[in-house]
Amino acid sequence: MIVPGSASQEVAAALARELDEPLAAVEYDWFADGETLVRVPDTDDRAVVVASTVSDAAHVELLQLQDAARQRAEEVLTVLPYMGYGRQDDAFEPGQPVSARAMARAISTGTDRVLTVNPHEEAVTDFFDVPCSSVDAAGRLAEPLPELSDPLFLSPDAGAVDLAETVRDAYGGGEVDYFEKIRHSDTDVEIQPSDAETAGRDIVLVDDIVATGSTMSTAIEQLSDPARVFVTCVHPMLAANARTKLGTAGVERVYGTDTIERAVSAVSVAPAIASAVGELP
Ligand code: R5P
């Protein structure tokens, strides 16, 4: 049985269809002090909890879903289409936590196994105390792209160039390059231009996540006279005014997956998750 988190109802329903498994109708209560209480209906032997941890509340909800499911199912598999706090995968300054590790440990307590999609760094999967593997869904981002003219697939930093290559390969042709990125703070990002020629070409920017949109909009400023600019990402967080920022920067279209359910979620990661579930031992 597929047990959906409230922020992952579309992807959970798509996964239920892919796996031909029933979808649990989770019920919710809210208390006056702000606490929530979930109720998971009777499950099969295996419960697959599907929940993107897009907020602190979503983390709490996931722990409750796992605990409720575990009381009835013999096996609990947790699917994190998007794993929140994944980018804090190190203590970058003295006194900081490794938040990704703290979250992973908490999530591990309620499950037998974890699957996640395109984590910011693959090493995050090692933070879990139960077996965790990742699914690469970046190739699907090529599907909604229109026919492109002399395309250049660009990642805003060297770390995402593999994703740009995956999207280029899935599209079927084009050049790949990346910018040099220096992050001064959460919103102050310096991007140094790539060597590739951009004039008159269709540019597809590729990243794992667009959060505030600062990285992408700064990258777009470096493009010299492009034809059209498309933004693609696996996780379209698009916090606050990020979508508007991209629009005013001149982006033609933004395409993401449904790891985070947004208006730009043009493709589903459910088939990739279903294949990975099918291959589990
Ligand atoms: C960082 O290395 C990530 O790959 C993204 O580039 C970054 O997290 C995007 O964040 P924002 O949209 O806030 O610039």
Side-chain angles (χ1 to χ4, degrees):
M1 176 169 274
I2 308 296
V3 181
S6 56
S8 299
Q9 297 180 56
E10 291 289 345
V11 68
L15 185 62
R17 285 194 297 275
E18 291 284 335
L19 294 174
D20 196 21
E21 289 197 24
L23 195 55
V26 176
E27 292 173 20
Y28 294 86
D29 280 323
W30 289 270
F31 297 104
D33 60 4
E35 291 187 352
T36 54
L37 180 67
V38 305
R39 188 173 298 112
V40 175
D42 209 0
T43 64
D44 301 334
D45 289 348
R46 181 180 72 175
V48 181
V49 179
V50 182
S52 285
T53 46
V54 290
S55 64
D56 291 357
H59 272 102
V60 173
E61 183 190 325
L62 170 60
L63 298 181
Q64 289 197 13
L65 290 172
Q66 290 176 314
D67 199 75
R70 185 160 248 191
Q71 290 176 48
R72 290 175 154 170
E74 281 170 23
E75 184 193 354
V76 176
L77 166 65
T78 298
V79 177
L80 303 171
Y82 168 73
M83 179 186 166
Y85 289 94
R87 289 175 291 170
Q88 183 72 19
D89 57 359
D90 207 346
F92 297 107
E93 289 177 22
Q96 288 186 350
V98 182
S99 306
R101 184 177 58 199
M103 296 303 164
R105 286 177 175 165
I107 292 166
S108 299
T109 59
T111 194
D112 298 295
R113 180 175 283 279
V114 175
L115 267 181
T116 189
V117 179
N118 291 96
H120 183 58
E121 292 289 347
E122 190 64 27
V124 164
T125 58
D126 295 334
F127 288 149
F128 290 86
D129 296 325
V130 293
C132 174
S133 43
S134 72
V135 173
D136 183 2
R140 302 223 64 197
L141 291 168
E143 288 173 30
L145 288 172
E147 195 175 331
L148 301 170
S149 163
D150 192 16
L152 172 62
F153 295 81
L154 270 176
S155 63
D157 58 36
V161 73
D162 289 353
L163 294 178
E165 281 172 354
T166 301
V167 178
R168 186 272 312 271
D169 292 349
Y171 177 75
E175 192 185 354
V176 173
D177 205 343
Y178 61 92
F179 294 101
E180 294 291 346
K181 177 163 102 173
I182 304 156
R183 184 177 279 280
H184 300 294
S185 73
D186 279 356
T187 51
D188 183 12
V189 179
E190 183 186 334
I191 303 267
Q192 291 172 356
S194 85
D195 295 333
E197 180 61 57
T198 59
R201 304 179 75 176
D202 282 339
I203 311 294
V204 181
L205 288 158
V206 186
D207 208 350
D208 58 336
I209 176 170
V210 176
T212 65
S214 298
T215 300
M216 282 298 189
S217 42
T218 310
I220 293 161
E221 285 167 15
Q222 311 305 316
L223 302 174
S224 165
D225 203 20
R228 293 177 298 176
V229 179
F230 299 91
V231 164
T232 63
C233 64
V234 178
H235 308 297
M237 174 58 76
L238 298 174
N241 64 345
R243 181 66 189 85
T244 303
K245 245 189 228 174
L246 297 178
T248 54
V251 172
E252 180 101 1
R253 291 290 299 269
V254 180
Y255 299 112
T257 78
D258 56 0
T259 61
I260 302 178
E261 297 177 356
R262 298 282 187 255
V264 304
S265 299
V267 286
S268 180
V269 296
I273 294 172
S275 304
V277 170
E279 286 165 13
L280 289 176

